[in-house]
Amino acid sequence: MTTSIHLSHEALFYGDDDELVAGVLPFVRAGLAQDQAVAAAVTMDNMTLLRGALGGDAAAVSFIDRDEWYQRPATTIAGWQRILAEANKRGHREVRLIGEVGFGTVDRHPTWTRYESALNSVFADAPASILCPYDTRALPAAVLADARRTHPVVSDPNRRDSDAYVAADRLLREVRESVPTAVGEPVLVMPVGASASPARRAVLGLLTGHDWADQHRLDDLRLVVSEIVCNSILHGGGHRELRVWISDQVVVCEVSDDGPGLPDPLIGYRPPVRTLTGGRGLWLARQLCDALSVETADGQTRVRFAVRLNSAGRP
């Protein structure tokens, strides 16, 4: 979208229904008055509340079930990009987005805090205003504090610049992704050579005979193993190794090497540009994995990812 308008990203803290409505309705109606596209990914309860408060204007808003929308950060980012592109095709110059992030269990909080921070860079030049409601009754204090670090603007209820805001390239280095849990000893440890094929065959061979419910997730696992191992071959260094754990319906893999790690913490969040090389593998992996972390310490880089194989279907 060719425009000089840039991203606005705001956290709205609310403690009851009235505060949510008071914060969201002016945001929506201002956008509709300026012929902007409006989409809202919120809880089902808040969807009902906002539709009732908007009255006839609700028909002009695209509502999305928050629990389906916030599955994986890279998938959500790709979804927002589709909404921006579709709005542009319909002739809207700007878009207003309401994103009530589903932070999930405690181990997922860093994942979605990092996502909120990454938005500031990924959509920096997008003609979009994003309003992120935070329910102070339900979310823990640490998540609420991090919201002030990931949003340049906050409303609680007065709208102002956040004095705690931290730029994405710094915050993503400070807030580490939760490492997927691996139970017991690995069932496979093997060196990685010049090709990803042996690693891919070894992982899939381990799963032969398991009654996994979803063939699509097996295909996802095959692709992720290939992409992560190829990344290590191309960008890592020294000794490369693959480890695999299997527990219930979850497969956890770890690829380690002696390379320097990611040169840019936003790799995997920012969709790869076709004219540039690099970034595609981790971008795909982040969309397909149920959890993924990249850690560099003591001269070694480890990429650990988990894929749940009894999923009802692809996200």
Side-chain angles (χ1 to χ4, degrees), residues 148 151-152 154 160-165:
R148 301 178 187 278
H151 294 76
V154 296
R160 66 186 188 282
D161 292 340
S162 174
D163 56 9
Y165 175 69

Side-chain angles (χ1 to χ4, degrees), residues 68-82 101-103 107-119 122-123 172 177-178 265-271 282-293 315:
E68 295 182 359
W69 191 247
Y70 291 102
Q71 295 288 325
R72 301 174 182 89
T75 305
T76 305
I77 288 172
W80 289 133
Q81 287 190 312
R82 287 194 300 272
V101 175
F103 281 88
D107 62 303
R108 296 288 285 167
H109 292 177
T111 296
W112 290 105
T113 292
R114 289 168 58 89
Y115 156 84
E116 285 276 52
S117 180
L119 290 184
V122 173
F123 292 106
L172 291 175
E177 184 71 76
S178 297
L266 281 152
I267 292 175
Y269 290 98
R270 186 185 293 115
L282 202 54
W283 167 247
L284 286 173
R286 287 196 183 277
Q287 293 190 68
L288 299 176
C289 292
D290 293 291
L292 184 149
S293 71

Side-chain angles (χ1 to χ4, degrees), residues 18-302:
D18 289 341
E19 289 182 359
L20 175 67
V21 170
V24 171
L25 256 62
F27 178 81
V28 172
R29 286 187 166 139
L32 295 178
Q34 299 173 56
D35 192 32
Q36 298 175 4
V38 181
V42 296
T43 65
M44 295 300 290
D45 287 344
N46 286 341
M47 193 183 300
T48 299
L49 175 67
L50 293 173
R51 277 179 168 152
L54 284 165
D57 287 337
V61 179
S62 298
F63 283 99
I64 304 166
D65 181 355
R66 185 275 299 276
D67 293 333
E68 295 182 359
W69 191 247
Y70 291 102
Q71 295 288 325
R72 301 174 182 89
T75 305
T76 305
I77 288 172
W80 289 133
Q81 287 190 312
R82 287 194 300 272
I83 287 175
L84 284 166
E86 290 165 1
N88 184 39
K89 289 179 181 178
R90 297 195 305 270
H92 296 286
R93 187 164 177 259
E94 300 176 52
V95 178
R96 295 203 173 202
L97 307 174
I98 301 163
E100 187 173 14
V101 175
F103 281 88
T105 54
V106 173
D107 62 303
R108 296 288 285 167
H109 292 177
T111 296
W112 290 105
T113 292
R114 289 168 58 89
Y115 156 84
E116 285 276 52
S117 180
L119 290 184
N120 296 304
S121 178
V122 173
F123 292 106
D125 296 321
S129 297
I130 305 177
L131 182 67
C132 300
Y134 279 74
D135 188 344
T136 59
R137 300 164 298 183
L139 293 170
V143 169
L144 298 175
D146 279 338
R148 301 178 187 278
R149 303 175 67 205
T150 57
H151 294 76
V153 178
V154 296
S155 293
D156 59 353
N158 297 321
R159 189 175 190 272
R160 66 186 188 282
D161 292 340
S162 174
D163 56 9
Y165 175 69
V166 177
D169 58 350
R170 176 183 153 194
L171 187 137
L172 291 175
R173 297 184 192 278
E174 293 179 358
V175 177
R176 292 189 174 186
E177 184 71 76
S178 297
V179 178
T181 301
V183 179
E185 294 297 318
V187 295
L188 173 69
V189 178
M190 65 176 288
V192 172
S195 168
S197 296
R200 183 174 60 248
R201 287 196 300 268
V203 172
L204 294 178
L206 285 173
L207 303 179
T208 301
H210 286 270
D211 187 21
W212 304 121
D214 190 347
Q215 180 63 41
H216 288 307
R217 294 302 280 157
L218 285 170
D219 293 340
D220 291 343
L221 177 62
R222 186 199 330 267
L223 178 57
V224 173
V225 169
S226 294
E227 294 293 346
I228 297 300
V229 171
C230 283
N231 270 359
S232 180
I233 294 170
L234 291 173
H235 306 296
H239 178 67
R240 300 175 179 87
E241 194 167 77
L242 168 68
R243 297 178 182 86
V244 181
W245 296 260
I246 301 176
S247 176
D248 296 327
Q249 281 80 37
V250 178
V251 177
V252 177
C253 301
E254 179 180 275
V255 179
S256 62
D257 60 52
D258 300 328
L262 298 179
D264 179 357
L266 281 152
I267 292 175
Y269 290 98
R270 186 185 293 115
V273 179
R274 291 183 179 181
T275 55
L276 299 177
T277 59
R280 176 182 178 274
L282 202 54
W283 167 247
L284 286 173
R286 287 196 183 277
Q287 293 190 68
L288 299 176
C289 292
D290 293 291
L292 184 149
S293 71
V294 182
E295 287 196 335
T296 299
D298 301 324
Q300 190 172 65
T301 295
R302 296 176 181 270

